[in-house]
Amino acid sequence: MKVSAIITLKKDVLDPQGKVIHQALDGMGFENINEIRQGKYFEIDVNENDPNKAKAVVEDMCKKLLANLVIENFKIIETQ
Amino acid sequence: MKSSVITFPGSNCDRDMDVALKKFGFNNKMVWHDDNELPKSDLVVLPGGFSYGDYLRCGSMASKSRIMQSVINFAKSGGLVMGICNGFQILVETGLVPGVLLRNKYLEFICKNVFVKLDNKENTYFKNLNKNILEFHIAHNEGNYFCTKDQLKEIKDNNQIAIYYCNSEGKIEDQYNPNGSIKNIAGIFNKEKNVLGMMPHPERMIDESLSGEDGSIFFKNLINNIK
């Protein structure tokens, strides 16, 4: 089954890319933005039918490689 | 004295480091990332470059490569491991030294000479060094050192800050911070001080007529300390 993981920067971590994107959008006329934070999105097809087991595997992947827990949080979403 | 330089796919300062180590008397071996065993070494160097194309996060893929388990075991048994630039990024990803390296504050690749100030000399790397301020070269896009408040307190309490960005007089101020690093930190140790990670490249400062000689001073002193 397919499981997705979203990796986002923690609140206290500076995100200069997000800031620049914010400024660019602001310059394009999107003036009602409070803040933009850039993150990462992974779609993982796990060879596992039990959703809980599949999510547990992806959680392990996030902790060991996909996210750096010093600066990032992760959220796991079952997509299929 | 035996040293090993690990080459990852995308490393590009590995041969410079090899030249520098040999110039000052190390018997250096190049080690491929996919090897299982480290040769007998007094010093292991993780060189600069762009291992695995900086995919996912700089250093993250290299930190999981096959040779790294041997490097981690070597470090945990007290062996000297030095990570320069991308090597520093690999070290933080292994967890051997605390913190992470984020993108430079102003999103620029920085390539220039900088001055760094040594914070403490009670370690094999800087013991007996006759200078406190060294001129090294930096070339990186992700050298903005970051750690949590708790980690910062811990590394300060344990004297783990190795070098700070400063000016030629050793003043550590915001204007001499090239990349936005917390507290101008350019390099840090692990708790035991046998693992050193730093962004500046001492191997690029080993020729009087081409660069400067502060790298020579560093390597000569290092080999004497290991002997």
Side-chain angles (χ1 to χ4, degrees):
Chain A
M1 67 177 303
K2 281 187 181 157
V3 177
S4 299
I6 296 175
I7 316 275
T8 50
L9 278 175
K10 285 183 179 171
K11 230 173 107 190
D12 299 337
V13 180
L14 182 75
D15 179 15
Q17 292 183 92
K19 271 197 176 151
V20 171
I21 296 165
H22 183 171
Q23 282 167 12
L25 285 170
D26 202 45
M28 290 161 70
F30 296 97
E31 284 162 356
N32 51 355
I33 305 166
N34 292 324
E35 196 187 13
I36 291 189
R37 309 275 287 167
Q38 187 179 321
K40 295 184 184 116
Y41 174 77
F42 297 89
E43 267 179 3
I44 303 164
D45 194 348
V46 188
N47 193 7
E48 179 64 68
N49 294 323
D50 180 341
N52 288 332
K53 277 185 187 164
K55 280 199 232 171
V57 172
V58 173
E59 184 174 333
D60 203 26
M61 291 176 192
C62 285
K63 287 179 180 163
K64 288 181 177 160
L65 180 70
L66 301 180
N68 183 328
L69 300 182
V70 179
I71 47 164
E72 292 168 330
N73 292 320
F74 64 87
K75 207 192 293 178
I76 292 164
I77 303 161
E78 182 189 326
T79 41
Q80 198 185 303
Chain B
M1 294 295 105
K2 291 183 175 137
S3 59
S4 297
V5 172
I6 317 290
T7 302
F8 300 94
S11 294
N12 65 7
C13 301
D14 47 337
R15 280 166 291 174
D16 292 24
M17 185 55 80
D18 179 56
V19 169
L21 291 166
K22 283 176 178 162
K23 183 171 180 182
F24 301 104
F26 282 95
N27 176 4
N28 187 54
K29 281 211 171 84
M30 304 301 284
V31 181
W32 186 235
H33 72 106
D34 212 21
D35 289 354
N36 283 313
E37 291 290 325
L38 265 181
K40 203 176 173 316
S41 315
D42 301 296
L43 169 72
V44 173
V45 182
L46 307 179
F50 300 84
S51 58
Y52 293 87
D54 284 346
Y55 289 178
L56 191 62
R57 293 178 306 275
C58 300
S60 64
M61 313 303 284
S63 73
K64 310 292 179 204
S65 64
R66 197 167 287 172
I67 193 66
M68 283 311 291
Q69 200 48 56
S70 302
V71 175
I72 291 167
N73 294 340
F74 178 73
K76 289 198 168 153
S77 66
L80 294 180
V81 178
M82 179 168 75
I84 305 295
C85 198
N86 187 224
F88 185 13
Q89 294 164 342
I90 296 168
L91 281 179
V92 299
E93 284 287 343
T94 61
L96 284 172
V97 294
V100 291
L101 292 146
L102 301 173
R103 272 193 84 174
N104 296 341
K105 192 174 172 188
Y106 298 109
L107 300 172
E108 296 171 318
F109 186 93
I110 306 167
C111 180
K112 64 174 188 180
N113 286 2
V114 293
F115 291 96
V116 293
K117 189 171 185 182
L118 310 184
D119 195 49
N120 93 68
K121 291 189 181 177
E122 286 164 29
N123 55 74
T124 314
Y125 296 95
F126 300 134
K127 194 174 66 188
N128 302 325
L129 207 72
N130 59 6
K131 285 176 100 173
N132 292 324
I133 301 155
L134 296 169
E135 188 179 12
F136 283 158
H137 190 82
I138 54 168
H140 60 245
N141 197 45
E142 284 88 2
N144 178 354
Y145 183 75
F146 177 86
C147 61
T148 62
K149 274 186 189 153
D150 293 345
Q151 281 179 319
L152 186 62
K153 188 180 177 307
E154 205 182 320
I155 62 173
K156 274 185 173 168
D157 290 349
N158 295 320
N159 285 323
Q160 282 173 256
I161 300 173
I163 49 175
Y164 294 96
Y165 296 109
C166 64
N167 71 353
S168 58
E169 268 88 54
K171 272 197 181 153
I172 301 163
E173 286 172 8
D174 236 12
Q175 54 182 315
Y176 311 119
N177 184 342
N179 53 26
S181 290
I182 274 188
K183 303 279 173 204
N184 281 38
I185 292 173
I188 52 165
F189 294 112
N190 65 341
K191 244 185 211 162
E192 294 75 20
K193 320 280 188 303
N194 61 309
V195 180
L196 166 65
M198 60 178 176
M199 290 317 291
H201 292 263
E203 80 278 13
R204 294 190 185 181
M205 290 301 206
I206 57 160
D207 189 294
E208 196 183 2
S209 46
L210 284 178
S211 49
E213 287 248 89
D214 282 0
S216 310
I217 293 169
F218 170 73
F219 284 110
K220 276 181 201 162
N221 185 62
L222 177 59
I223 194 162
N224 283 332
N225 286 345
I226 297 176
K227 269 178 191 164

